[in-house]
Amino acid sequence: MTAYVDRLLLGPGPSNPYPEAVQALGRPVIGHLDPEYLALVAEISDRLRAVFDTANELTLPVSGTGSAGMEACLASLLQPGEKAVVGVNGYFGERLCEVAARGGAEVVRVAAPWGRALDPADLLAAQRTNPDARLLAVVAAETSTGVRNDIAPLAALAETDTLLLVDAVTALGGTELRVDDWKIDACYSASQKCLGAPPGLAPVTLSARAVEVMRSRTVPVRSFYLDLGLLWEYYLAPAPRYHHTASSTMASSLHAGLGVLLAEGKERTWARHAGIGGLLQQELTDRGWGLIADANNRLPQLTATRLPEGLEEAPLRRALLERFGIEVGAGLGEFAGRAWRIGMMGHAARERSVRTLLAAVDELLG
């Protein structure tokens, strides 16, 4: 068995990296306190500010996947016993609840059925009922169902003492996200989806308001590795302090992927994802496949689709991988065994990806 296989990665992530990000993996490894490495991270932070659309000073890549970004934000901002209002309309909203609860927070759930968007009015009403909530957390792009949650109306939280935390793991680089304009206090993502790099880094940004909450804690952050205050001192302080052995290889690749995205332009990248996602979704419906999310709240970069009646999803998905080297994702939760999750993200968000996938499916069903 060998890992040297070529796949077209059209699942919920990872996605195929940009060629420039792959090429960057071959750059020489340098030390984690080398001035060249620290300069590279500083450039990554600048590029992340542009992609997040923020001026936040604390903007950096956390070592780990998107789940590390989630844990870093929750661990750094929540103290045991504090309340967290969490929007839940899919698997990753549930994970926010679990991680917050494991850290000792009191979780206030605001739920919507899987496949439907959260109502911002319900989230804001929950905060008014719990004005002492330290933060309100929501997933911008719910990868389990292909649903886009509306974040902009939650900017009203800036007039309260409750921070706004946004999961942008699948959103960042694929659909509109404006951290400063939408008054987002904490936001995290992942390198392997619409940013066009391999998995391994989790971009995070905190507002000045969130930084003040973190610095005014009365108990230490429960995680040393994911303490954003310590990571700020490592990467961005005038006199960097050693924290952990970070990977210059992964940093080089993310730096390159962000460069491709910014050279294309955020708005053009969003438009490319919208066009390719729309093409896929139209082709699927023309073939009798159902779409889980409604048209008003449907992600273009991640499509959750029901298979036509009579088709077994797992054998078809396995054949797609074994015969054509194309990966798509299985359904989660109530959609397990009945749906696929198809990603068109980053470098893979191209018409050829859609045509290749559909031609392979047509051949298998022929």
Side-chain angles (χ1 to χ4, degrees), residues 240-264:
R241 295 177 56 188
Y242 166 71
H243 180 262
H244 71 282
T245 303
S247 169
S248 67
T249 303
M250 290 308 308
S252 294
S253 188
L254 177 58
H255 180 269
L258 292 168
V260 174
L261 192 161
L262 292 171
E264 182 177 7

Side-chain angles (χ1 to χ4, degrees), residues 7 9 16 18 30 69 73 75 82 88 91 113 115 121 195 239 249 254 256 288 294 329 334 337 345 352 358:
R7 303 289 198 208
L9 299 174
N16 295 103
Y18 290 117
I30 57 178
C73 289
E82 291 185 327
V88 181
Y91 180 87
L195 300 184
T249 303
L254 177 58
D294 67 70
E334 64 185 85
M345 296 184 277
R352 66 187 178 197
L358 294 175

Side-chain angles (χ1 to χ4, degrees), residues 33-35 38-39 42 49 57-58 60 215 229-242:
L33 288 175
D34 188 305
L38 295 173
R49 290 184 189 99
E57 181 180 5
L58 201 166
L60 49 79
R215 289 179 172 166
L230 295 179
L231 291 173
W232 183 89
E233 293 177 359
Y234 177 23
Y235 288 130
L236 303 177
R241 295 177 56 188
Y242 166 71

Side-chain angles (χ1 to χ4, degrees), residues 15-16 18 51 169-176 192-196 257 260-261 264-281 298-303 342-351 354:
S15 296
N16 295 103
Y18 290 117
V51 177
V169 168
T170 298
L172 188 64
T175 43
E176 183 178 12
Q192 78 272 18
K193 299 201 179 192
C194 298
L195 300 184
V260 174
L261 192 161
E264 182 177 7
K266 290 198 303 282
E267 286 77 9
R268 289 182 179 177
T269 304
W270 298 338
R272 172 164 60 86
H273 283 85
I276 297 304
L279 172 64
L280 171 67
Q281 290 160 10
R298 188 178 297 150
L299 292 171
Q301 66 269 51
L302 192 289
T303 298
I342 304 172
M344 295 284 165
M345 296 184 277
H347 184 54
R350 314 283 180 186
E351 183 175 353
V354 176

Side-chain angles (χ1 to χ4, degrees), residues 27-314:
R27 293 176 185 167
V29 174
I30 57 178
H32 50 278
L33 288 175
D34 188 305
E36 291 297 322
Y37 171 68
L38 295 173
L40 176 66
V41 174
E43 286 190 18
I44 291 171
S45 294
D46 284 340
R47 291 182 177 189
L48 286 174
R49 290 184 189 99
V51 177
F52 275 121
D53 205 0
T54 185
N56 289 341
E57 181 180 5
L58 201 166
T59 302
L60 49 79
V62 172
S63 295
T65 60
S67 293
M70 175 190 295
E71 294 218 31
C73 289
L74 290 171
S76 298
L77 297 176
L78 283 172
Q79 298 189 81
E82 291 185 327
K83 285 184 183 178
V85 177
V86 181
V88 181
N89 63 333
Y91 180 87
F92 292 97
E94 294 284 3
R95 181 174 290 186
L96 274 166
C97 290
E98 181 173 353
V99 174
R102 286 188 179 206
E106 179 185 343
V107 175
V108 178
R109 293 168 53 94
V110 179
W114 282 40
R116 296 185 188 175
L118 292 160
D119 187 338
D122 291 342
L123 293 164
L124 293 173
Q127 189 279 331
R128 288 193 296 271
T129 304
N130 300 274
D132 56 337
R134 172 56 66 204
L135 59 81
L136 185 152
V138 65
V139 180
E142 181 48 79
T143 316
S144 60
T145 58
V147 168
R148 177 187 61 82
N149 286 315
D150 195 5
I151 304 300
L154 302 177
L157 292 171
E159 303 302 318
T160 74
D161 292 329
T162 300
L163 302 174
L164 174 58
L165 168 62
V166 173
D167 175 317
V169 168
T170 298
L172 188 64
T175 43
E176 183 178 12
L177 183 79
R178 302 188 184 277
V179 166
D180 285 359
D181 287 352
W182 296 351
K183 309 296 183 186
I184 298 171
D185 291 295
C187 192
Y188 59 89
S189 188
S191 55
Q192 78 272 18
K193 299 201 179 192
C194 298
L195 300 184
L201 291 174
V204 168
T205 187
L206 294 190
S207 70
R209 188 165 86 131
V211 170
E212 179 57 32
V213 165
M214 181 175 66
R215 289 179 172 166
S216 62
R217 305 174 57 98
T218 57
V219 298
V221 175
R222 59 185 170 86
S223 171
F224 179 89
Y225 191 73
L226 299 174
D227 184 332
L228 290 173
L230 295 179
L231 291 173
W232 183 89
E233 293 177 359
Y234 177 23
Y235 288 130
L236 303 177
R241 295 177 56 188
Y242 166 71
H243 180 262
H244 71 282
T245 303
S247 169
S248 67
T249 303
M250 290 308 308
S252 294
S253 188
L254 177 58
H255 180 269
L258 292 168
V260 174
L261 192 161
L262 292 171
E264 182 177 7
K266 290 198 303 282
E267 286 77 9
R268 289 182 179 177
T269 304
W270 298 338
R272 172 164 60 86
H273 283 85
I276 297 304
L279 172 64
L280 171 67
Q281 290 160 10
Q282 184 60 57
E283 292 284 349
L284 288 171
T285 55
D286 288 348
R287 286 166 166 77
W289 295 54
L291 300 178
I292 290 173
D294 67 70
N296 293 329
N297 300 100
R298 188 178 297 150
L299 292 171
Q301 66 269 51
L302 192 289
T303 298
T305 178
R306 295 185 184 87
L307 277 68
E309 196 70 32
L311 290 183
E312 293 187 60
E313 76 83 16

